[in-house]
Each structure stands twice: as C-alpha cells, then as structure tokens.
Amino acid sequence: KVFMVAATDGLFVLFNPSVVSDHLARAMYQEKSSLLCGCEQLISLASLKWKATQLQYRDDISIAVTKL
C-alpha cells in the first residue's frame, strides 16, 4: 500500500516525515478511521504545537494525500 503526501513546512517543521506517514497509514487502512480524519488530526496537532511554541504566530499548515 503506497501513498504520497504533500504538505507545507508548517507541518514538517514539527513532525518528521515518518511520523506523518505512520499516522496517515493508520488512518487510511484501519477500519474505524479515515484519511480525512487523519489529516484533520495532524493539522490540529500541528496548530496546537505552533500555538504552544510561538506567540502570535502560526505557520500555514496544509496537507494533501493520494493513494498510488
């Protein structure tokens, strides 16, 4: 099962690619989860991390995933 992830640095500054791909793979291939929920979770976690580390600033956080 192969997929491709394109995301902004607002996500990859906080999470390394293996963490992102592991999280999305679990969301994509587990029965009670979905790819959309996995993406939303990563964006929410990144947003919280930005708010915790940067006063008044949050980098853009975008993600796109496709199954190959």
Side-chain angles (χ1 to χ4, degrees):
K1 299 177 181 180
V2 179
F3 59 95
M4 182 178 66
V5 177
T8 59
D9 64 333
L11 186 72
F12 283 125
V13 164
L14 301 170
F15 302 112
N16 69 45
S18 64
V19 169
V20 172
S21 63
D22 288 348
H23 183 85
L24 293 174
R26 282 192 304 275
M28 203 177 323
Y29 296 110
Q30 284 183 348
E31 195 172 308
K32 294 187 178 190
S33 190
S34 72
L35 181 57
L36 179 60
C37 288
C39 290
E40 288 173 342
Q41 289 170 350
L42 282 172
I43 290 169
S44 293
L45 289 170
S47 178
L48 289 172
K49 278 189 154 194
W50 273 106
K51 289 178 183 177
T53 59
Q54 305 288 326
L55 304 173
Q56 305 297 319
Y57 178 76
R58 189 193 95 178
D59 202 358
D60 60 315
I61 305 166
S62 299
I63 187 168
V65 182
T66 188
K67 293 179 185 180
L68 300 175

CSV table of all heavy atoms in Angstrom, one decimal:
chain,number,residue,atom,x,y,z
A,1,LYS,N,0.8,-1.2,0.0
A,1,LYS,CA,0.0,0.0,0.0
A,1,LYS,C,0.9,1.2,0.0
A,1,LYS,O,1.6,1.5,0.9
A,1,LYS,CB,-0.9,0.0,1.2
A,1,LYS,CG,-1.8,-1.2,1.2
A,1,LYS,CD,-2.7,-1.3,2.4
A,1,LYS,CE,-3.5,-2.6,2.2
A,1,LYS,NZ,-4.4,-2.8,3.3
A,2,VAL,N,0.8,2.0,-1.1
A,2,VAL,CA,1.6,3.1,-1.2
A,2,VAL,C,0.8,4.4,-1.4
A,2,VAL,O,-0.3,4.4,-2.0
A,2,VAL,CB,2.5,3.0,-2.5
A,2,VAL,CG1,3.4,4.2,-2.7
A,2,VAL,CG2,3.3,1.7,-2.4
A,3,PHE,N,1.3,5.5,-0.8
A,3,PHE,CA,0.6,6.8,-0.9
A,3,PHE,C,1.6,7.9,-0.9
A,3,PHE,O,2.8,7.7,-0.5
A,3,PHE,CB,-0.5,7.0,0.2
A,3,PHE,CG,0.1,6.9,1.6
A,3,PHE,CD1,0.4,8.1,2.3
A,3,PHE,CD2,0.3,5.7,2.3
A,3,PHE,CE1,0.9,8.0,3.6
A,3,PHE,CE2,0.7,5.7,3.5
A,3,PHE,CZ,1.1,6.8,4.2
A,4,MET,N,1.2,9.0,-1.4
A,4,MET,CA,2.1,10.2,-1.4
A,4,MET,C,1.5,11.3,-0.6
A,4,MET,O,0.3,11.5,-0.6
A,4,MET,CB,2.3,10.6,-2.9
A,4,MET,CG,3.2,11.8,-3.1
A,4,MET,SD,3.4,12.3,-4.8
A,4,MET,CE,1.8,12.9,-5.2
A,5,VAL,N,2.4,12.0,0.1
A,5,VAL,CA,2.0,13.1,0.9
A,5,VAL,C,2.7,14.4,0.5
A,5,VAL,O,3.9,14.4,0.3
A,5,VAL,CB,2.3,12.9,2.4
A,5,VAL,CG1,2.0,14.1,3.3
A,5,VAL,CG2,1.7,11.6,2.9
A,6,ALA,N,1.9,15.4,0.3
A,6,ALA,CA,2.4,16.7,0.0
A,6,ALA,C,1.9,17.6,1.1
A,6,ALA,O,0.7,17.7,1.4
A,6,ALA,CB,2.0,17.3,-1.3
A,7,ALA,N,2.8,18.3,1.8
A,7,ALA,CA,2.4,19.1,3.0
A,7,ALA,C,3.4,20.3,3.1
A,7,ALA,O,4.5,20.3,2.6
A,7,ALA,CB,2.5,18.3,4.3
A,8,THR,N,2.9,21.4,3.7
A,8,THR,CA,3.7,22.6,3.9
A,8,THR,C,4.6,22.4,5.0
A,8,THR,O,4.5,21.5,5.9
A,8,THR,CB,2.7,23.8,4.2
A,8,THR,OG1,2.0,23.5,5.3
A,8,THR,CG2,1.8,24.1,3.0
A,9,ASP,N,5.6,23.3,5.1
A,9,ASP,CA,6.6,23.3,6.2
A,9,ASP,C,5.9,23.5,7.5
A,9,ASP,O,6.5,23.1,8.6
A,9,ASP,CB,7.7,24.3,5.9
A,9,ASP,CG,7.2,25.7,5.9
A,9,ASP,OD1,6.1,26.0,5.6
A,9,ASP,OD2,8.1,26.6,6.3
A,10,GLY,N,4.8,24.1,7.6
A,10,GLY,CA,4.1,24.2,8.9
A,10,GLY,C,3.8,22.9,9.6
A,10,GLY,O,3.7,22.9,10.8
A,11,LEU,N,3.7,21.9,8.8
A,11,LEU,CA,3.5,20.5,9.3
A,11,LEU,C,4.9,19.8,9.5
A,11,LEU,O,5.2,19.3,10.6
A,11,LEU,CB,2.7,19.7,8.4
A,11,LEU,CG,2.3,18.3,8.9
A,11,LEU,CD1,1.3,18.4,10.1
A,11,LEU,CD2,1.7,17.4,7.8
A,12,PHE,N,5.8,19.9,8.5
A,12,PHE,CA,7.0,19.2,8.5
A,12,PHE,C,8.1,19.8,9.4
A,12,PHE,O,9.0,19.1,9.8
A,12,PHE,CB,7.6,19.0,7.1
A,12,PHE,CG,6.9,17.9,6.4
A,12,PHE,CD1,6.3,18.1,5.2
A,12,PHE,CD2,6.7,16.6,6.9
A,12,PHE,CE1,5.6,17.1,4.5
A,12,PHE,CE2,6.1,15.6,6.3
A,12,PHE,CZ,5.5,15.8,5.0
A,13,VAL,N,7.9,21.0,9.8
A,13,VAL,CA,8.8,21.6,10.8
A,13,VAL,C,8.6,21.0,12.2
A,13,VAL,O,9.5,20.8,13.0
A,13,VAL,CB,8.6,23.1,10.9
A,13,VAL,CG1,9.2,23.7,12.2
A,13,VAL,CG2,9.2,23.8,9.7
A,14,LEU,N,7.4,20.5,12.4
A,14,LEU,CA,7.0,20.0,13.7
A,14,LEU,C,7.0,18.5,13.8
A,14,LEU,O,7.3,17.9,14.8
A,14,LEU,CB,5.6,20.5,14.1
A,14,LEU,CG,5.5,22.0,14.2
A,14,LEU,CD1,4.0,22.4,14.4
A,14,LEU,CD2,6.3,22.5,15.4
A,15,PHE,N,6.8,17.8,12.7
A,15,PHE,CA,6.7,16.4,12.6
A,15,PHE,C,7.6,15.9,11.5
A,15,PHE,O,7.5,16.4,10.4
A,15,PHE,CB,5.3,15.9,12.3
A,15,PHE,CG,4.3,16.3,13.4
A,15,PHE,CD1,3.3,17.2,13.0
A,15,PHE,CD2,4.3,15.8,14.7
A,15,PHE,CE1,2.3,17.6,13.9
A,15,PHE,CE2,3.4,16.3,15.6
A,15,PHE,CZ,2.4,17.2,15.2
A,16,ASN,N,8.4,14.9,11.8
A,16,ASN,CA,9.2,14.3,10.7
A,16,ASN,C,8.4,13.5,9.7
A,16,ASN,O,7.3,13.0,10.1
A,16,ASN,CB,10.5,13.6,11.2
A,16,ASN,CG,10.2,12.3,11.9
A,16,ASN,OD1,9.4,11.5,11.4
A,16,ASN,ND2,10.8,12.1,13.1
A,17,PRO,N,8.9,13.3,8.5
A,17,PRO,CA,8.0,12.5,7.5
A,17,PRO,C,7.6,11.1,8.0
A,17,PRO,O,6.5,10.7,7.6
A,17,PRO,CB,9.0,12.4,6.3
A,17,PRO,CG,9.9,13.6,6.5
A,17,PRO,CD,10.1,13.8,7.9
A,18,SER,N,8.4,10.4,8.7
A,18,SER,CA,8.0,9.1,9.2
A,18,SER,C,6.8,9.2,10.1
A,18,SER,O,5.9,8.3,10.1
A,18,SER,CB,9.1,8.3,9.7
A,18,SER,OG,9.6,8.9,10.9
A,19,VAL,N,6.8,10.2,11.0
A,19,VAL,CA,5.6,10.3,11.9
A,19,VAL,C,4.4,10.6,11.1
A,19,VAL,O,3.3,10.0,11.4
A,19,VAL,CB,5.9,11.4,13.0
A,19,VAL,CG1,4.7,11.8,13.7
A,19,VAL,CG2,7.0,11.0,13.9
A,20,VAL,N,4.5,11.5,10.2
A,20,VAL,CA,3.3,11.9,9.3
A,20,VAL,C,2.8,10.7,8.5
A,20,VAL,O,1.6,10.3,8.5
A,20,VAL,CB,3.7,13.0,8.4
A,20,VAL,CG1,2.6,13.3,7.4
A,20,VAL,CG2,4.0,14.3,9.1
A,21,SER,N,3.7,9.9,7.9
A,21,SER,CA,3.3,8.8,7.1
A,21,SER,C,2.7,7.7,8.0
A,21,SER,O,1.8,7.0,7.6
A,21,SER,CB,4.4,8.3,6.2
A,21,SER,OG,5.5,7.8,7.0
A,22,ASP,N,3.3,7.4,9.1
A,22,ASP,CA,2.8,6.4,10.0
A,22,ASP,C,1.4,6.8,10.5
A,22,ASP,O,0.5,5.9,10.5
A,22,ASP,CB,3.7,6.2,11.3
A,22,ASP,CG,5.0,5.5,10.9
A,22,ASP,OD1,5.1,5.0,9.8
A,22,ASP,OD2,5.9,5.5,11.8
A,23,HIS,N,1.2,8.0,10.8
A,23,HIS,CA,-0.2,8.5,11.3
A,23,HIS,C,-1.2,8.3,10.2
A,23,HIS,O,-2.3,7.8,10.4
A,23,HIS,CB,-0.1,9.9,11.8
A,23,HIS,CG,-1.4,10.4,12.3
A,23,HIS,ND1,-1.8,10.2,13.6
A,23,HIS,CD2,-2.4,11.1,11.7
A,23,HIS,CE1,-2.9,10.8,13.8
A,23,HIS,NE2,-3.3,11.3,12.6
A,24,LEU,N,-0.8,8.7,9.0
A,24,LEU,CA,-1.8,8.7,7.9
A,24,LEU,C,-2.0,7.2,7.4
A,24,LEU,O,-3.2,6.9,7.1
A,24,LEU,CB,-1.3,9.5,6.7
A,24,LEU,CG,-1.2,11.0,7.0
A,24,LEU,CD1,-0.6,11.7,5.8
A,24,LEU,CD2,-2.6,11.6,7.2
A,25,ALA,N,-1.0,6.4,7.5
A,25,ALA,CA,-1.2,5.0,7.1
A,25,ALA,C,-2.2,4.3,8.0
A,25,ALA,O,-3.1,3.6,7.6
A,25,ALA,CB,0.1,4.2,7.1
A,26,ARG,N,-2.1,4.6,9.3
A,26,ARG,CA,-3.0,4.0,10.3
A,26,ARG,C,-4.4,4.5,10.0
A,26,ARG,O,-5.4,3.8,10.0
A,26,ARG,CB,-2.6,4.4,11.7
A,26,ARG,CG,-1.5,3.5,12.3
A,26,ARG,CD,-1.3,3.7,13.8
A,26,ARG,NE,-1.0,5.1,14.2
A,26,ARG,CZ,0.1,5.7,14.2
A,26,ARG,NH1,1.2,5.0,13.8
A,26,ARG,NH2,0.2,6.9,14.6
A,27,ALA,N,-4.5,5.8,9.7
A,27,ALA,CA,-5.9,6.4,9.5
A,27,ALA,C,-6.5,5.8,8.2
A,27,ALA,O,-7.7,5.6,8.1
A,27,ALA,CB,-5.8,7.9,9.4
A,28,MET,N,-5.6,5.6,7.2
A,28,MET,CA,-6.1,5.2,5.9
A,28,MET,C,-6.5,3.7,5.9
A,28,MET,O,-7.5,3.4,5.2
A,28,MET,CB,-5.0,5.4,4.9
A,28,MET,CG,-5.5,5.6,3.5
A,28,MET,SD,-4.2,5.9,2.2
A,28,MET,CE,-3.0,7.0,3.1
A,29,TYR,N,-5.8,2.9,6.6
A,29,TYR,CA,-6.0,1.5,6.5
A,29,TYR,C,-6.7,0.8,7.7
A,29,TYR,O,-6.8,-0.4,7.7
A,29,TYR,CB,-4.7,0.8,6.1
A,29,TYR,CG,-4.3,1.3,4.8
A,29,TYR,CD1,-3.1,2.1,4.6
A,29,TYR,CD2,-5.0,0.9,3.6
A,29,TYR,CE1,-2.7,2.5,3.4
A,29,TYR,CE2,-4.6,1.4,2.4
A,29,TYR,CZ,-3.4,2.2,2.3
A,29,TYR,OH,-3.0,2.6,1.0
A,30,GLN,N,-7.0,1.6,8.7
A,30,GLN,CA,-7.7,1.0,9.8
A,30,GLN,C,-9.2,1.1,9.6
A,30,GLN,O,-9.7,2.0,9.0
A,30,GLN,CB,-7.4,1.7,11.2
A,30,GLN,CG,-6.1,1.3,11.7
A,30,GLN,CD,-5.8,2.0,13.0
A,30,GLN,OE1,-6.5,2.9,13.4
A,30,GLN,NE2,-4.7,1.5,13.7
A,31,GLU,N,-9.9,0.1,10.0
A,31,GLU,CA,-11.4,0.0,9.7
A,31,GLU,C,-12.2,1.2,10.3
A,31,GLU,O,-13.1,1.7,9.7
A,31,GLU,CB,-11.9,-1.3,10.3
A,31,GLU,CG,-13.3,-1.7,9.8
A,31,GLU,CD,-13.6,-3.1,10.2
A,31,GLU,OE1,-12.8,-4.0,10.0
A,31,GLU,OE2,-14.7,-3.2,10.8
A,32,LYS,N,-11.9,1.7,11.5
A,32,LYS,CA,-12.7,2.7,12.1
A,32,LYS,C,-12.1,4.1,12.0
A,32,LYS,O,-12.4,4.9,12.8
A,32,LYS,CB,-12.9,2.3,13.6
A,32,LYS,CG,-13.8,1.1,13.8
A,32,LYS,CD,-14.1,0.9,15.2
A,32,LYS,CE,-15.0,-0.4,15.3
A,32,LYS,NZ,-15.5,-0.5,16.6
A,33,SER,N,-11.4,4.3,11.0
A,33,SER,CA,-10.8,5.6,10.8
A,33,SER,C,-10.9,6.0,9.3
A,33,SER,O,-11.4,5.3,8.5
A,33,SER,CB,-9.3,5.6,11.2
A,33,SER,OG,-8.8,6.9,11.2
A,34,SER,N,-10.5,7.2,9.0
A,34,SER,CA,-10.5,7.7,7.6
A,34,SER,C,-9.3,8.6,7.3
A,34,SER,O,-8.7,9.2,8.3
A,34,SER,CB,-11.8,8.4,7.3
A,34,SER,OG,-11.8,9.7,7.9
A,35,LEU,N,-8.9,8.7,6.1
A,35,LEU,CA,-7.9,9.6,5.7
A,35,LEU,C,-8.1,11.0,6.1
A,35,LEU,O,-7.3,11.7,6.6
A,35,LEU,CB,-7.6,9.4,4.2
A,35,LEU,CG,-6.4,10.3,3.6
A,35,LEU,CD1,-5.1,10.0,4.4
A,35,LEU,CD2,-6.3,10.0,2.2
A,36,LEU,N,-9.4,11.5,5.9
A,36,LEU,CA,-9.8,12.8,6.2
A,36,LEU,C,-9.5,13.1,7.7
A,36,LEU,O,-9.0,14.1,8.1
A,36,LEU,CB,-11.2,13.1,5.8
A,36,LEU,CG,-11.7,14.5,6.1
A,36,LEU,CD1,-10.9,15.6,5.4
A,36,LEU,CD2,-13.2,14.6,5.8
A,37,CYS,N,-10.0,12.1,8.5
A,37,CYS,CA,-9.8,12.3,10.0
A,37,CYS,C,-8.3,12.4,10.3
A,37,CYS,O,-7.9,13.1,11.2
A,37,CYS,CB,-10.5,11.2,10.7
A,37,CYS,SG,-12.2,11.3,10.7
A,38,GLY,N,-7.5,11.5,9.7
A,38,GLY,CA,-6.1,11.5,9.9
A,38,GLY,C,-5.4,12.9,9.6
A,38,GLY,O,-4.6,13.4,10.3
A,39,CYS,N,-5.8,13.4,8.5
A,39,CYS,CA,-5.3,14.8,8.1
A,39,CYS,C,-5.7,15.8,9.0
A,39,CYS,O,-4.9,16.7,9.4
A,39,CYS,CB,-5.8,15.1,6.6
A,39,CYS,SG,-5.0,14.1,5.3
A,40,GLU,N,-7.0,15.8,9.4
A,40,GLU,CA,-7.5,16.8,10.3
A,40,GLU,C,-6.8,16.7,11.7
A,40,GLU,O,-6.5,17.7,12.3
A,40,GLU,CB,-9.0,16.6,10.5
A,40,GLU,CG,-9.8,17.0,9.3
A,40,GLU,CD,-11.3,16.7,9.5
A,40,GLU,OE1,-11.7,15.8,10.3
A,40,GLU,OE2,-12.1,17.3,8.7
A,41,GLN,N,-6.5,15.5,12.1
A,41,GLN,CA,-5.8,15.3,13.4
A,41,GLN,C,-4.4,15.9,13.3
A,41,GLN,O,-4.0,16.6,14.3
A,41,GLN,CB,-5.7,13.8,13.8
A,41,GLN,CG,-7.0,13.2,14.2
A,41,GLN,CD,-7.0,11.7,14.3
A,41,GLN,OE1,-6.0,11.1,13.9
A,41,GLN,NE2,-8.0,11.1,14.9
A,42,LEU,N,-3.7,15.6,12.2
A,42,LEU,CA,-2.3,16.2,12.1
A,42,LEU,C,-2.4,17.7,12.1
A,42,LEU,O,-1.5,18.3,12.7
A,42,LEU,CB,-1.7,15.6,10.8
A,42,LEU,CG,-1.2,14.2,10.9
A,42,LEU,CD1,-0.7,13.8,9.5
A,42,LEU,CD2,0.0,14.1,11.9
A,43,ILE,N,-3.3,18.3,11.3
A,43,ILE,CA,-3.4,19.7,11.3
A,43,ILE,C,-3.7,20.3,12.7
A,43,ILE,O,-3.1,21.3,13.1
A,43,ILE,CB,-4.4,20.2,10.2
A,43,ILE,CG1,-3.9,19.9,8.8
A,43,ILE,CG2,-4.8,21.7,10.4
A,43,ILE,CD1,-5.0,20.0,7.7
A,44,SER,N,-4.6,19.7,13.4
A,44,SER,CA,-4.9,20.2,14.7
A,44,SER,C,-3.8,20.0,15.7
A,44,SER,O,-3.5,21.0,16.5
A,44,SER,CB,-6.1,19.4,15.3
A,44,SER,OG,-7.3,19.6,14.6
A,45,LEU,N,-3.0,18.9,15.6
A,45,LEU,CA,-1.9,18.8,16.5
A,45,LEU,C,-0.8,19.8,16.2
A,45,LEU,O,-0.2,20.4,17.0
A,45,LEU,CB,-1.3,17.3,16.3
A,45,LEU,CG,-2.1,16.2,16.9
A,45,LEU,CD1,-1.6,14.9,16.5
A,45,LEU,CD2,-2.2,16.3,18.5
A,46,ALA,N,-0.6,20.0,14.9
A,46,ALA,CA,0.4,21.0,14.5
A,46,ALA,C,0.0,22.4,14.9
A,46,ALA,O,0.9,23.2,15.4
A,46,ALA,CB,0.7,20.9,12.9
A,47,SER,N,-1.2,22.7,14.8
A,47,SER,CA,-1.7,24.0,15.2
A,47,SER,C,-1.5,24.2,16.7
A,47,SER,O,-1.0,25.3,17.1
A,47,SER,CB,-3.2,24.1,14.8
A,47,SER,OG,-3.7,25.4,15.3
A,48,LEU,N,-1.8,23.2,17.5
A,48,LEU,CA,-1.6,23.3,18.9
A,48,LEU,C,-0.1,23.5,19.2
A,48,LEU,O,0.3,24.3,20.1
A,48,LEU,CB,-2.1,22.1,19.6
A,48,LEU,CG,-3.7,22.0,19.7
A,48,LEU,CD1,-4.1,20.6,20.2
A,48,LEU,CD2,-4.3,23.1,20.5
A,49,LYS,N,0.8,22.8,18.5
A,49,LYS,CA,2.2,22.9,18.8
A,49,LYS,C,2.7,24.3,18.4
A,49,LYS,O,3.5,24.8,19.1
A,49,LYS,CB,3.0,21.8,18.0
A,49,LYS,CG,3.0,20.5,18.7
A,49,LYS,CD,4.0,19.6,18.0
A,49,LYS,CE,4.5,18.5,18.9
A,49,LYS,NZ,5.6,17.8,18.4
A,50,TRP,N,2.2,24.8,17.3
A,50,TRP,CA,2.6,26.2,16.9
A,50,TRP,C,2.2,27.2,17.9
A,50,TRP,O,3.0,28.1,18.3
A,50,TRP,CB,2.0,26.6,15.5
A,50,TRP,CG,2.9,26.1,14.4
A,50,TRP,CD1,2.6,25.1,13.5
A,50,TRP,CD2,4.1,26.7,14.0
A,50,TRP,NE1,3.6,25.0,12.6
A,50,TRP,CE2,4.6,25.9,12.9
A,50,TRP,CE3,4.9,27.7,14.4
A,50,TRP,CZ2,5.8,26.2,12.2
A,50,TRP,CZ3,6.1,28.0,13.8
A,50,TRP,CH2,6.5,27.2,12.7
A,51,LYS,N,1.0,27.1,18.4
A,51,LYS,CA,0.5,28.0,19.4
A,51,LYS,C,1.3,27.9,20.7
A,51,LYS,O,1.5,28.9,21.4
A,51,LYS,CB,-1.0,27.8,19.7
A,51,LYS,CG,-1.9,28.2,18.5
A,51,LYS,CD,-3.3,28.0,18.8
A,51,LYS,CE,-4.1,28.3,17.5
A,51,LYS,NZ,-5.6,28.0,17.7
A,52,ALA,N,1.7,26.7,21.0
A,52,ALA,CA,2.5,26.5,22.3
A,52,ALA,C,3.9,27.0,22.2
A,52,ALA,O,4.5,27.4,23.2
A,52,ALA,CB,2.5,25.0,22.6
A,53,THR,N,4.5,27.0,21.0
A,53,THR,CA,5.9,27.4,20.8
A,53,THR,C,6.1,28.8,20.3
A,53,THR,O,7.1,29.4,20.5
A,53,THR,CB,6.6,26.4,19.9
A,53,THR,OG1,6.0,26.4,18.6
A,53,THR,CG2,6.6,25.0,20.5
A,54,GLN,N,5.1,29.4,19.7
A,54,GLN,CA,5.2,30.7,19.0
A,54,GLN,C,4.1,31.6,19.5
A,54,GLN,O,3.0,31.3,19.3
A,54,GLN,CB,5.2,30.6,17.5
A,54,GLN,CG,6.1,29.6,16.9
A,54,GLN,CD,7.5,30.2,16.9
A,54,GLN,OE1,7.8,31.4,16.8
A,54,GLN,NE2,8.5,29.3,17.1
A,55,LEU,N,4.5,32.7,20.1
A,55,LEU,CA,3.5,33.7,20.5
A,55,LEU,C,2.9,34.4,19.2
A,55,LEU,O,3.6,34.7,18.4
A,55,LEU,CB,4.1,34.7,21.4
A,55,LEU,CG,4.8,34.2,22.7
A,55,LEU,CD1,5.5,35.3,23.4
A,55,LEU,CD2,3.7,33.6,23.6
A,56,GLN,N,1.7,34.5,19.1
A,56,GLN,CA,1.1,35.3,18.0
A,56,GLN,C,1.5,34.9,16.6
A,56,GLN,O,1.2,35.6,15.6
A,56,GLN,CB,1.5,36.8,18.1
A,56,GLN,CG,1.2,37.4,19.4
A,56,GLN,CD,-0.3,37.5,19.7
A,56,GLN,OE1,-1.1,37.7,18.9
A,56,GLN,NE2,-0.6,37.2,21.0
A,57,TYR,N,2.0,33.7,16.4
A,57,TYR,CA,2.4,33.2,15.0
A,57,TYR,C,2.1,31.7,14.9
A,57,TYR,O,2.4,30.9,15.8
A,57,TYR,CB,3.8,33.5,14.7
A,57,TYR,CG,4.3,33.0,13.4
A,57,TYR,CD1,3.9,33.7,12.2
A,57,TYR,CD2,4.9,31.8,13.2
A,57,TYR,CE1,4.3,33.3,11.0
A,57,TYR,CE2,5.3,31.3,11.9
A,57,TYR,CZ,5.0,32.1,10.8
A,57,TYR,OH,5.3,31.6,9.6
A,58,ARG,N,1.5,31.4,13.8
A,58,ARG,CA,1.3,30.0,13.4
A,58,ARG,C,1.5,29.9,11.9
A,58,ARG,O,0.9,30.6,11.1
A,58,ARG,CB,-0.1,29.6,13.7
A,58,ARG,CG,-0.3,28.1,13.5
A,58,ARG,CD,-1.7,27.6,13.5
A,58,ARG,NE,-2.2,27.6,12.1
A,58,ARG,CZ,-3.4,27.2,11.7
A,58,ARG,NH1,-4.3,26.9,12.6
A,58,ARG,NH2,-3.6,27.2,10.5
A,59,ASP,N,2.4,29.1,11.5
A,59,ASP,CA,2.8,28.9,10.1
A,59,ASP,C,1.6,28.2,9.4
A,59,ASP,O,0.7,27.6,10.0
A,59,ASP,CB,4.0,28.0,10.0
A,59,ASP,CG,4.7,28.2,8.6
A,59,ASP,OD1,4.2,29.0,7.8
A,59,ASP,OD2,5.8,27.5,8.4
A,60,ASP,N,1.5,28.4,8.1
A,60,ASP,CA,0.5,27.7,7.3
A,60,ASP,C,0.6,26.2,7.4
A,60,ASP,O,1.7,25.7,7.5
A,60,ASP,CB,0.5,28.1,5.8
A,60,ASP,CG,1.8,27.8,5.2
A,60,ASP,OD1,2.8,28.0,5.8
A,60,ASP,OD2,1.7,27.3,4.0
A,61,ILE,N,-0.5,25.5,7.5
A,61,ILE,CA,-0.5,24.0,7.6
A,61,ILE,C,-1.5,23.5,6.6
A,61,ILE,O,-2.7,23.6,6.8
A,61,ILE,CB,-0.9,23.6,9.1
A,61,ILE,CG1,0.0,24.3,10.1
A,61,ILE,CG2,-0.8,22.1,9.2
A,61,ILE,CD1,-0.6,24.2,11.5
A,62,SER,N,-0.9,22.9,5.6
A,62,SER,CA,-1.7,22.2,4.5
A,62,SER,C,-1.2,20.9,4.3
A,62,SER,O,0.0,20.6,4.3
A,62,SER,CB,-1.7,23.1,3.3
A,62,SER,OG,-2.2,24.3,3.5
A,63,ILE,N,-2.1,20.0,3.9
A,63,ILE,CA,-1.7,18.6,3.6
A,63,ILE,C,-2.6,18.0,2.5
A,63,ILE,O,-3.8,18.3,2.4
A,63,ILE,CB,-1.7,17.7,4.8
A,63,ILE,CG1,-1.1,16.3,4.6
A,63,ILE,CG2,-3.1,17.6,5.4
A,63,ILE,CD1,-0.9,15.5,5.8
A,64,ALA,N,-2.0,17.3,1.6
A,64,ALA,CA,-2.7,16.6,0.5
A,64,ALA,C,-2.1,15.2,0.5
A,64,ALA,O,-0.9,15.0,0.5
A,64,ALA,CB,-2.5,17.3,-0.8
A,65,VAL,N,-3.0,14.2,0.3
A,65,VAL,CA,-2.6,12.8,0.3
A,65,VAL,C,-3.3,12.1,-0.9
A,65,VAL,O,-4.5,12.3,-1.1
A,65,VAL,CB,-2.9,12.1,1.6
A,65,VAL,CG1,-2.5,10.6,1.6
A,65,VAL,CG2,-2.4,12.8,2.8
A,66,THR,N,-2.6,11.2,-1.6
A,66,THR,CA,-3.2,10.4,-2.6
A,66,THR,C,-2.6,9.0,-2.6
A,66,THR,O,-1.5,8.8,-2.3
A,66,THR,CB,-2.9,11.0,-4.0
A,66,THR,OG1,-3.7,10.3,-5.0
A,66,THR,CG2,-1.5,11.0,-4.4
A,67,LYS,N,-3.5,8.0,-2.8
A,67,LYS,CA,-3.1,6.6,-2.9
A,67,LYS,C,-2.5,6.4,-4.3
A,67,LYS,O,-3.1,6.9,-5.2
A,67,LYS,CB,-4.3,5.7,-2.6
A,67,LYS,CG,-4.8,5.8,-1.2
A,67,LYS,CD,-6.0,4.8,-1.1
A,67,LYS,CE,-6.7,4.9,0.2
A,67,LYS,NZ,-7.8,4.0,0.4
A,68,LEU,N,-1.5,5.7,-4.3
A,68,LEU,CA,-0.9,5.3,-5.6
A,68,LEU,C,-1.1,3.9,-6.0
A,68,LEU,O,-1.3,3.1,-5.2
A,68,LEU,CB,0.7,5.6,-5.6
A,68,LEU,CG,1.1,7.0,-5.2
A,68,LEU,CD1,2.6,7.1,-5.1
A,68,LEU,CD2,0.6,8.0,-6.3
